[in-house]
PDB file of all heavy atoms in Angstrom:
ATOM      1  N   GLN A   1      46.113-112.436-166.130  1.00  0.00           N
ATOM      2  CA  GLN A   1      45.320-112.082-167.329  1.00  0.00           C
ATOM      3  C   GLN A   1      44.023-111.401-166.866  1.00  0.00           C
ATOM      4  O   GLN A   1      43.396-111.811-165.903  1.00  0.00           O
ATOM      5  CB  GLN A   1      44.971-113.333-168.140  1.00  0.00           C
ATOM      6  CG  GLN A   1      44.130-113.019-169.382  1.00  0.00           C
ATOM      7  CD  GLN A   1      43.819-114.260-170.194  1.00  0.00           C
ATOM      8  OE1 GLN A   1      44.691-115.094-170.404  1.00  0.00           O
ATOM      9  NE2 GLN A   1      42.573-114.370-170.666  1.00  0.00           N
ATOM     10  N   ALA A   2      43.663-110.350-167.583  1.00  0.00           N
ATOM     11  CA  ALA A   2      42.376-109.661-167.380  1.00  0.00           C
ATOM     12  C   ALA A   2      41.993-109.064-168.738  1.00  0.00           C
ATOM     13  O   ALA A   2      42.334-107.919-169.061  1.00  0.00           O
ATOM     14  CB  ALA A   2      42.484-108.601-166.314  1.00  0.00           C
ATOM     15  N   ASP A   3      41.306-109.877-169.554  1.00  0.00           N
ATOM     16  CA  ASP A   3      41.069-109.465-170.956  1.00  0.00           C
ATOM     17  C   ASP A   3      39.855-110.200-171.512  1.00  0.00           C
ATOM     18  O   ASP A   3      39.351-111.136-170.906  1.00  0.00           O
ATOM     19  CB  ASP A   3      42.319-109.786-171.781  1.00  0.00           C
ATOM     20  CG  ASP A   3      42.416-108.969-173.051  1.00  0.00           C
ATOM     21  OD1 ASP A   3      41.454-108.213-173.333  1.00  0.00           O
ATOM     22  OD2 ASP A   3      43.443-109.072-173.746  1.00  0.00           O
ATOM     23  N   PHE A   4      39.426-109.747-172.690  1.00  0.00           N
ATOM     24  CA  PHE A   4      38.321-110.435-173.395  1.00  0.00           C
ATOM     25  C   PHE A   4      38.925-111.597-174.154  1.00  0.00           C
ATOM     26  O   PHE A   4      39.873-111.432-174.939  1.00  0.00           O
ATOM     27  CB  PHE A   4      37.603-109.464-174.342  1.00  0.00           C
ATOM     28  CG  PHE A   4      36.306-109.979-174.836  1.00  0.00           C
ATOM     29  CD1 PHE A   4      35.120-109.689-174.153  1.00  0.00           C
ATOM     30  CD2 PHE A   4      36.242-110.771-175.978  1.00  0.00           C
ATOM     31  CE1 PHE A   4      33.905-110.182-174.619  1.00  0.00           C
ATOM     32  CE2 PHE A   4      35.018-111.268-176.444  1.00  0.00           C
ATOM     33  CZ  PHE A   4      33.858-110.983-175.751  1.00  0.00           C
ATOM     34  N   GLU A   5      38.374-112.834-173.955  1.00  0.00           N
ATOM     35  CA  GLU A   5      38.988-114.046-174.512  1.00  0.00           C
ATOM     36  C   GLU A   5      37.967-114.843-175.331  1.00  0.00           C
ATOM     37  O   GLU A   5      37.576-115.955-174.975  1.00  0.00           O
ATOM     38  CB  GLU A   5      39.542-114.903-173.366  1.00  0.00           C
ATOM     39  CG  GLU A   5      40.409-116.063-173.804  1.00  0.00           C
ATOM     40  CD  GLU A   5      41.711-115.626-174.485  1.00  0.00           C
ATOM     41  OE1 GLU A   5      42.208-114.510-174.205  1.00  0.00           O
ATOM     42  OE2 GLU A   5      42.215-116.378-175.327  1.00  0.00           O
ATOM     43  N   GLY A   6      37.485-114.255-176.435  1.00  0.00           N
ATOM     44  CA  GLY A   6      36.625-114.971-177.374  1.00  0.00           C
ATOM     45  C   GLY A   6      35.369-115.538-176.738  1.00  0.00           C
ATOM     46  O   GLY A   6      34.595-114.821-176.101  1.00  0.00           O
ATOM     47  N   ALA A   7      35.195-116.886-176.890  1.00  0.00           N
ATOM     48  CA  ALA A   7      34.005-117.561-176.374  1.00  0.00           C
ATOM     49  C   ALA A   7      33.909-117.494-174.854  1.00  0.00           C
ATOM     50  O   ALA A   7      32.828-117.674-174.286  1.00  0.00           O
ATOM     51  CB  ALA A   7      33.992-119.022-176.830  1.00  0.00           C
ATOM     52  N   TYR A   8      35.041-117.208-174.173  1.00  0.00           N
ATOM     53  CA  TYR A   8      35.049-117.123-172.706  1.00  0.00           C
ATOM     54  C   TYR A   8      34.625-115.737-172.217  1.00  0.00           C
ATOM     55  O   TYR A   8      34.442-115.528-171.027  1.00  0.00           O
ATOM     56  CB  TYR A   8      36.441-117.447-172.146  1.00  0.00           C
ATOM     57  CG  TYR A   8      36.823-118.904-172.277  1.00  0.00           C
ATOM     58  CD1 TYR A   8      37.631-119.320-173.331  1.00  0.00           C
ATOM     59  CD2 TYR A   8      36.379-119.844-171.354  1.00  0.00           C
ATOM     60  CE1 TYR A   8      38.002-120.655-173.454  1.00  0.00           C
ATOM     61  CE2 TYR A   8      36.742-121.188-171.477  1.00  0.00           C
ATOM     62  CZ  TYR A   8      37.557-121.572-172.523  1.00  0.00           C
ATOM     63  OH  TYR A   8      37.892-122.902-172.652  1.00  0.00           O
ATOM     64  N   GLY A   9      34.419-114.802-173.174  1.00  0.00           N
ATOM     65  CA  GLY A   9      34.044-113.461-172.791  1.00  0.00           C
ATOM     66  C   GLY A   9      35.148-112.773-171.971  1.00  0.00           C
ATOM     67  O   GLY A   9      36.344-113.015-172.180  1.00  0.00           O
ATOM     68  N   ARG A  10      34.712-111.927-171.036  1.00  0.00           N
ATOM     69  CA  ARG A  10      35.710-111.267-170.176  1.00  0.00           C
ATOM     70  C   ARG A  10      36.256-112.328-169.202  1.00  0.00           C
ATOM     71  O   ARG A  10      35.489-112.924-168.437  1.00  0.00           O
ATOM     72  CB  ARG A  10      35.088-110.097-169.438  1.00  0.00           C
ATOM     73  CG  ARG A  10      34.804-108.899-170.307  1.00  0.00           C
ATOM     74  CD  ARG A  10      34.403-107.708-169.455  1.00  0.00           C
ATOM     75  NE  ARG A  10      34.208-106.522-170.295  1.00  0.00           N
ATOM     76  CZ  ARG A  10      33.046-106.167-170.849  1.00  0.00           C
ATOM     77  NH1 ARG A  10      31.971-106.919-170.635  1.00  0.00           N
ATOM     78  NH2 ARG A  10      32.954-105.084-171.606  1.00  0.00           N
ATOM     79  N   GLN A  11      37.591-112.488-169.242  1.00  0.00           N
ATOM     80  CA  GLN A  11      38.223-113.573-168.480  1.00  0.00           C
ATOM     81  C   GLN A  11      39.367-113.035-167.605  1.00  0.00           C
ATOM     82  O   GLN A  11      40.166-112.203-168.057  1.00  0.00           O
ATOM     83  CB  GLN A  11      38.739-114.654-169.421  1.00  0.00           C
ATOM     84  CG  GLN A  11      39.316-115.873-168.725  1.00  0.00           C
ATOM     85  CD  GLN A  11      39.866-116.864-169.719  1.00  0.00           C
ATOM     86  OE1 GLN A  11      40.866-116.570-170.403  1.00  0.00           O
ATOM     87  NE2 GLN A  11      39.214-118.020-169.857  1.00  0.00           N
ATOM     88  N   VAL A  12      39.470-113.548-166.367  1.00  0.00           N
ATOM     89  CA  VAL A  12      40.583-113.262-165.454  1.00  0.00           C
ATOM     90  C   VAL A  12      41.245-114.586-165.081  1.00  0.00           C
ATOM     91  O   VAL A  12      40.553-115.571-164.794  1.00  0.00           O
ATOM     92  CB  VAL A  12      40.112-112.521-164.182  1.00  0.00           C
ATOM     93  CG1 VAL A  12      41.227-112.493-163.132  1.00  0.00           C
ATOM     94  CG2 VAL A  12      39.669-111.115-164.512  1.00  0.00           C
ATOM     95  N   LYS A  13      42.595-114.593-165.103  1.00  0.00           N
ATOM     96  CA  LYS A  13      43.356-115.756-164.645  1.00  0.00           C
ATOM     97  C   LYS A  13      44.269-115.329-163.513  1.00  0.00           C
ATOM     98  O   LYS A  13      44.902-114.262-163.585  1.00  0.00           O
ATOM     99  CB  LYS A  13      44.164-116.387-165.781  1.00  0.00           C
ATOM    100  CG  LYS A  13      43.315-117.136-166.800  1.00  0.00           C
ATOM    101  CD  LYS A  13      44.199-117.831-167.839  1.00  0.00           C
ATOM    102  CE  LYS A  13      43.336-118.637-168.802  1.00  0.00           C
ATOM    103  NZ  LYS A  13      44.159-119.335-169.831  1.00  0.00           N
ATOM    104  N   VAL A  14      44.362-116.207-162.491  1.00  0.00           N
ATOM    105  CA  VAL A  14      45.216-115.932-161.313  1.00  0.00           C
ATOM    106  C   VAL A  14      46.163-117.115-161.112  1.00  0.00           C
ATOM    107  O   VAL A  14      45.728-118.283-161.082  1.00  0.00           O
ATOM    108  CB  VAL A  14      44.362-115.720-160.034  1.00  0.00           C
ATOM    109  CG1 VAL A  14      45.272-115.469-158.840  1.00  0.00           C
ATOM    110  CG2 VAL A  14      43.382-114.571-160.226  1.00  0.00           C
ATOM    111  N   ARG A  15      47.474-116.797-161.013  1.00  0.00           N
ATOM    112  CA  ARG A  15      48.463-117.843-160.722  1.00  0.00           C
ATOM    113  C   ARG A  15      48.709-117.848-159.207  1.00  0.00           C
ATOM    114  O   ARG A  15      48.995-116.822-158.603  1.00  0.00           O
ATOM    115  CB  ARG A  15      49.767-117.602-161.459  1.00  0.00           C
ATOM    116  CG  ARG A  15      50.826-118.680-161.138  1.00  0.00           C
ATOM    117  CD  ARG A  15      52.159-118.410-161.820  1.00  0.00           C
ATOM    118  NE  ARG A  15      52.053-118.586-163.254  1.00  0.00           N
ATOM    119  CZ  ARG A  15      52.262-117.611-164.135  1.00  0.00           C
ATOM    120  NH1 ARG A  15      52.548-116.381-163.712  1.00  0.00           N
ATOM    121  NH2 ARG A  15      52.181-117.835-165.432  1.00  0.00           N
ATOM    122  N   HIS A  16      48.672-119.060-158.620  1.00  0.00           N
ATOM    123  CA  HIS A  16      48.839-119.214-157.174  1.00  0.00           C
ATOM    124  C   HIS A  16      50.251-119.705-156.830  1.00  0.00           C
ATOM    125  O   HIS A  16      51.046-120.029-157.730  1.00  0.00           O
ATOM    126  CB  HIS A  16      47.763-120.167-156.641  1.00  0.00           C
ATOM    127  CG  HIS A  16      46.388-119.769-157.053  1.00  0.00           C
ATOM    128  ND1 HIS A  16      45.753-118.649-156.551  1.00  0.00           N
ATOM    129  CD2 HIS A  16      45.526-120.308-157.980  1.00  0.00           C
ATOM    130  CE1 HIS A  16      44.556-118.528-157.110  1.00  0.00           C
ATOM    131  NE2 HIS A  16      44.403-119.535-157.998  1.00  0.00           N
ATOM    132  N   ALA A  17      50.542-119.759-155.554  1.00  0.00           N
ATOM    133  CA  ALA A  17      51.914-120.049-155.090  1.00  0.00           C
ATOM    134  C   ALA A  17      52.405-121.409-155.555  1.00  0.00           C
ATOM    135  O   ALA A  17      53.605-121.595-155.821  1.00  0.00           O
ATOM    136  CB  ALA A  17      51.977-119.957-153.580  1.00  0.00           C
ATOM    137  N   ASP A  18      51.530-122.400-155.661  1.00  0.00           N
ATOM    138  CA  ASP A  18      51.958-123.746-156.069  1.00  0.00           C
ATOM    139  C   ASP A  18      52.014-123.917-157.583  1.00  0.00           C
ATOM    140  O   ASP A  18      52.258-125.019-158.092  1.00  0.00           O
ATOM    141  CB  ASP A  18      51.021-124.803-155.468  1.00  0.00           C
ATOM    142  CG  ASP A  18      49.589-124.674-155.955  1.00  0.00           C
ATOM    143  OD1 ASP A  18      49.294-123.693-156.686  1.00  0.00           O
ATOM    144  OD2 ASP A  18      48.758-125.534-155.597  1.00  0.00           O
ATOM    145  N   GLY A  19      51.781-122.813-158.330  1.00  0.00           N
ATOM    146  CA  GLY A  19      51.821-122.861-159.779  1.00  0.00           C
ATOM    147  C   GLY A  19      50.490-123.105-160.433  1.00  0.00           C
ATOM    148  O   GLY A  19      50.356-122.976-161.667  1.00  0.00           O
ATOM    149  N   THR A  20      49.493-123.471-159.624  1.00  0.00           N
ATOM    150  CA  THR A  20      48.155-123.697-160.173  1.00  0.00           C
ATOM    151  C   THR A  20      47.571-122.373-160.666  1.00  0.00           C
ATOM    152  O   THR A  20      47.739-121.321-160.039  1.00  0.00           O
ATOM    153  CB  THR A  20      47.235-124.292-159.097  1.00  0.00           C
ATOM    154  OG1 THR A  20      47.768-125.556-158.680  1.00  0.00           O
ATOM    155  CG2 THR A  20      45.828-124.499-159.639  1.00  0.00           C
ATOM    156  N   VAL A  21      46.855-122.432-161.801  1.00  0.00           N
ATOM    157  CA  VAL A  21      46.185-121.258-162.356  1.00  0.00           C
ATOM    158  C   VAL A  21      44.683-121.521-162.305  1.00  0.00           C
ATOM    159  O   VAL A  21      44.211-122.614-162.675  1.00  0.00           O
ATOM    160  CB  VAL A  21      46.621-120.981-163.804  1.00  0.00           C
ATOM    161  CG1 VAL A  21      45.796-119.845-164.405  1.00  0.00           C
ATOM    162  CG2 VAL A  21      48.103-120.653-163.854  1.00  0.00           C
ATOM    163  N   THR A  22      43.933-120.545-161.812  1.00  0.00           N
ATOM    164  CA  THR A  22      42.470-120.627-161.835  1.00  0.00           C
ATOM    165  C   THR A  22      41.942-119.563-162.797  1.00  0.00           C
ATOM    166  O   THR A  22      42.510-118.469-162.907  1.00  0.00           O
ATOM    167  CB  THR A  22      41.873-120.405-160.419  1.00  0.00           C
ATOM    168  OG1 THR A  22      42.346-119.165-159.881  1.00  0.00           O
ATOM    169  CG2 THR A  22      42.219-121.545-159.504  1.00  0.00           C
ATOM    170  N   SER A  23      40.858-119.935-163.493  1.00  0.00           N
ATOM    171  CA  SER A  23      40.309-119.072-164.534  1.00  0.00           C
ATOM    172  C   SER A  23      38.845-118.775-164.242  1.00  0.00           C
ATOM    173  O   SER A  23      38.081-119.651-163.817  1.00  0.00           O
ATOM    174  CB  SER A  23      40.431-119.776-165.902  1.00  0.00           C
ATOM    175  OG  SER A  23      39.797-119.033-166.922  1.00  0.00           O
ATOM    176  N   TYR A  24      38.448-117.506-164.524  1.00  0.00           N
ATOM    177  CA  TYR A  24      37.077-117.023-164.260  1.00  0.00           C
ATOM    178  C   TYR A  24      36.593-116.322-165.536  1.00  0.00           C
ATOM    179  O   TYR A  24      37.171-115.308-165.963  1.00  0.00           O
ATOM    180  CB  TYR A  24      37.076-116.046-163.076  1.00  0.00           C
ATOM    181  CG  TYR A  24      37.871-116.558-161.874  1.00  0.00           C
ATOM    182  CD1 TYR A  24      39.257-116.367-161.824  1.00  0.00           C
ATOM    183  CD2 TYR A  24      37.240-117.211-160.847  1.00  0.00           C
ATOM    184  CE1 TYR A  24      39.981-116.840-160.748  1.00  0.00           C
ATOM    185  CE2 TYR A  24      37.983-117.691-159.746  1.00  0.00           C
ATOM    186  CZ  TYR A  24      39.356-117.501-159.704  1.00  0.00           C
ATOM    187  OH  TYR A  24      40.078-117.978-158.648  1.00  0.00           O
ATOM    188  N   SER A  25      35.493-116.871-166.157  1.00  0.00           N
ATOM    189  CA  SER A  25      35.073-116.365-167.481  1.00  0.00           C
ATOM    190  C   SER A  25      33.612-115.876-167.470  1.00  0.00           C
ATOM    191  O   SER A  25      32.870-116.120-166.527  1.00  0.00           O
ATOM    192  CB  SER A  25      35.217-117.473-168.532  1.00  0.00           C
ATOM    193  OG  SER A  25      36.544-117.928-168.588  1.00  0.00           O
ATOM    194  N   HIS A  26      33.215-115.166-168.609  1.00  0.00           N
ATOM    195  CA  HIS A  26      31.884-114.617-168.865  1.00  0.00           C
ATOM    196  C   HIS A  26      31.554-113.453-167.921  1.00  0.00           C
ATOM    197  O   HIS A  26      30.368-113.201-167.666  1.00  0.00           O
ATOM    198  CB  HIS A  26      30.790-115.714-168.758  1.00  0.00           C
ATOM    199  CG  HIS A  26      31.054-116.910-169.603  1.00  0.00           C
ATOM    200  ND1 HIS A  26      31.276-116.843-170.960  1.00  0.00           N
ATOM    201  CD2 HIS A  26      31.115-118.237-169.276  1.00  0.00           C
ATOM    202  CE1 HIS A  26      31.482-118.050-171.441  1.00  0.00           C
ATOM    203  NE2 HIS A  26      31.384-118.926-170.433  1.00  0.00           N
ATOM    204  N   MET A  27      32.584-112.747-167.431  1.00  0.00           N
ATOM    205  CA  MET A  27      32.360-111.641-166.502  1.00  0.00           C
ATOM    206  C   MET A  27      31.677-110.458-167.190  1.00  0.00           C
ATOM    207  O   MET A  27      31.839-110.238-168.399  1.00  0.00           O
ATOM    208  CB  MET A  27      33.689-111.164-165.910  1.00  0.00           C
ATOM    209  CG  MET A  27      34.383-112.151-165.003  1.00  0.00           C
ATOM    210  SD  MET A  27      35.884-111.399-164.362  1.00  0.00           S
ATOM    211  CE  MET A  27      36.469-112.706-163.284  1.00  0.00           C
ATOM    212  N   SER A  28      30.958-109.708-166.390  1.00  0.00           N
ATOM    213  CA  SER A  28      30.395-108.456-166.892  1.00  0.00           C
ATOM    214  C   SER A  28      31.406-107.314-166.768  1.00  0.00           C
ATOM    215  O   SER A  28      31.315-106.328-167.515  1.00  0.00           O
ATOM    216  CB  SER A  28      29.124-108.097-166.122  1.00  0.00           C
ATOM    217  OG  SER A  28      29.396-107.919-164.742  1.00  0.00           O
ATOM    218  N   GLU A  29      32.362-107.472-165.837  1.00  0.00           N
ATOM    219  CA  GLU A  29      33.406-106.435-165.642  1.00  0.00           C
ATOM    220  C   GLU A  29      34.607-107.037-164.912  1.00  0.00           C
ATOM    221  O   GLU A  29      34.528-108.087-164.281  1.00  0.00           O
ATOM    222  CB  GLU A  29      32.850-105.261-164.831  1.00  0.00           C
ATOM    223  CG  GLU A  29      32.408-105.630-163.438  1.00  0.00           C
ATOM    224  CD  GLU A  29      31.934-104.443-162.622  1.00  0.00           C
ATOM    225  OE1 GLU A  29      32.228-103.296-163.011  1.00  0.00           O
ATOM    226  OE2 GLU A  29      31.263-104.672-161.600  1.00  0.00           O
ATOM    227  N   PHE A  30      35.733-106.317-165.010  1.00  0.00           N
ATOM    228  CA  PHE A  30      36.939-106.663-164.252  1.00  0.00           C
ATOM    229  C   PHE A  30      37.042-105.720-163.054  1.00  0.00           C
ATOM    230  O   PHE A  30      36.683-104.539-163.141  1.00  0.00           O
ATOM    231  CB  PHE A  30      38.217-106.509-165.092  1.00  0.00           C
ATOM    232  CG  PHE A  30      38.220-107.324-166.362  1.00  0.00           C
ATOM    233  CD1 PHE A  30      38.465-106.706-167.573  1.00  0.00           C
ATOM    234  CD2 PHE A  30      38.006-108.686-166.325  1.00  0.00           C
ATOM    235  CE1 PHE A  30      38.488-107.455-168.749  1.00  0.00           C
ATOM    236  CE2 PHE A  30      38.009-109.435-167.505  1.00  0.00           C
ATOM    237  CZ  PHE A  30      38.260-108.809-168.714  1.00  0.00           C
ATOM    238  N   THR A  31      37.601-106.198-161.990  1.00  0.00           N
ATOM    239  CA  THR A  31      37.932-105.335-160.841  1.00  0.00           C
ATOM    240  C   THR A  31      39.408-105.405-160.496  1.00  0.00           C
ATOM    241  O   THR A  31      39.840-104.853-159.487  1.00  0.00           O
ATOM    242  CB  THR A  31      37.100-105.743-159.601  1.00  0.00           C
ATOM    243  OG1 THR A  31      37.346-107.106-159.288  1.00  0.00           O
ATOM    244  CG2 THR A  31      35.605-105.517-159.855  1.00  0.00           C
ATOM    245  N   VAL A  32      40.192-106.077-161.350  1.00  0.00           N
ATOM    246  CA  VAL A  32      41.645-106.198-161.133  1.00  0.00           C
ATOM    247  C   VAL A  32      42.352-105.965-162.460  1.00  0.00           C
ATOM    248  O   VAL A  32      41.726-105.956-163.528  1.00  0.00           O
ATOM    249  CB  VAL A  32      42.029-107.590-160.569  1.00  0.00           C
ATOM    250  CG1 VAL A  32      41.521-107.765-159.144  1.00  0.00           C
ATOM    251  CG2 VAL A  32      41.532-108.702-161.490  1.00  0.00           C
ATOM    252  N   SER A  33      43.676-105.805-162.366  1.00  0.00           N
ATOM    253  CA  SER A  33      44.517-105.650-163.552  1.00  0.00           C
ATOM    254  C   SER A  33      45.671-106.643-163.456  1.00  0.00           C
ATOM    255  O   SER A  33      46.007-107.159-162.377  1.00  0.00           O
ATOM    256  CB  SER A  33      45.067-104.219-163.646  1.00  0.00           C
ATOM    257  OG  SER A  33      44.005-103.279-163.721  1.00  0.00           O
ATOM    258  N   VAL A  34      46.278-106.895-164.608  1.00  0.00           N
ATOM    259  CA  VAL A  34      47.429-107.805-164.634  1.00  0.00           C
ATOM    260  C   VAL A  34      48.522-107.288-163.704  1.00  0.00           C
ATOM    261  O   VAL A  34      48.859-106.091-163.728  1.00  0.00           O
ATOM    262  CB  VAL A  34      47.961-107.955-166.072  1.00  0.00           C
ATOM    263  CG1 VAL A  34      49.241-108.789-166.082  1.00  0.00           C
ATOM    264  CG2 VAL A  34      46.910-108.589-166.971  1.00  0.00           C
ATOM    265  N   GLY A  35      49.074-108.190-162.911  1.00  0.00           N
ATOM    266  CA  GLY A  35      50.136-107.823-161.960  1.00  0.00           C
ATOM    267  C   GLY A  35      49.642-107.601-160.554  1.00  0.00           C
ATOM    268  O   GLY A  35      50.458-107.532-159.619  1.00  0.00           O
ATOM    269  N   ASP A  36      48.297-107.463-160.389  1.00  0.00           N
ATOM    270  CA  ASP A  36      47.766-107.273-159.040  1.00  0.00           C
ATOM    271  C   ASP A  36      47.938-108.543-158.198  1.00  0.00           C
ATOM    272  O   ASP A  36      47.839-109.664-158.716  1.00  0.00           O
ATOM    273  CB  ASP A  36      46.283-106.920-159.094  1.00  0.00           C
ATOM    274  CG  ASP A  36      46.029-105.508-159.611  1.00  0.00           C
ATOM    275  OD1 ASP A  36      47.020-104.747-159.723  1.00  0.00           O
ATOM    276  OD2 ASP A  36      44.855-105.173-159.906  1.00  0.00           O
ATOM    277  N   SER A  37      48.167-108.342-156.907  1.00  0.00           N
ATOM    278  CA  SER A  37      48.188-109.467-155.966  1.00  0.00           C
ATOM    279  C   SER A  37      46.850-109.533-155.266  1.00  0.00           C
ATOM    280  O   SER A  37      46.312-108.496-154.833  1.00  0.00           O
ATOM    281  CB  SER A  37      49.310-109.288-154.927  1.00  0.00           C
ATOM    282  OG  SER A  37      50.575-109.355-155.534  1.00  0.00           O
ATOM    283  N   VAL A  38      46.328-110.730-155.159  1.00  0.00           N
ATOM    284  CA  VAL A  38      45.022-110.912-154.524  1.00  0.00           C
ATOM    285  C   VAL A  38      45.122-111.986-153.458  1.00  0.00           C
ATOM    286  O   VAL A  38      45.978-112.875-153.519  1.00  0.00           O
ATOM    287  CB  VAL A  38      43.951-111.300-155.563  1.00  0.00           C
ATOM    288  CG1 VAL A  38      43.697-110.157-156.530  1.00  0.00           C
ATOM    289  CG2 VAL A  38      44.353-112.570-156.320  1.00  0.00           C
TER     290      VAL A  38
END
């Protein structure tokens, strides 16, 4: 996910190998797009 999410503002979500998802909110900008590997 790399999108504007209401009260979370600009938000990025990353799914990791063990299935855990980490979320990063209130960003001023994105530097990645959905589907990117990081």
Side-chain angles (χ1 to χ4, degrees):
Q1 179 179 317
D3 201 355
F4 194 92
E5 190 65 27
Y8 289 99
R10 287 189 176 91
Q11 184 183 67
V12 169
K13 287 185 177 180
V14 179
R15 179 183 291 118
H16 307 290
D18 62 355
T20 299
V21 174
T22 55
S23 174
Y24 313 84
S25 302
H26 307 305
M27 293 182 178
S28 61
E29 62 177 343
F30 303 126
T31 58
V32 292
S33 300
V34 174
D36 288 349
S37 294
V38 293

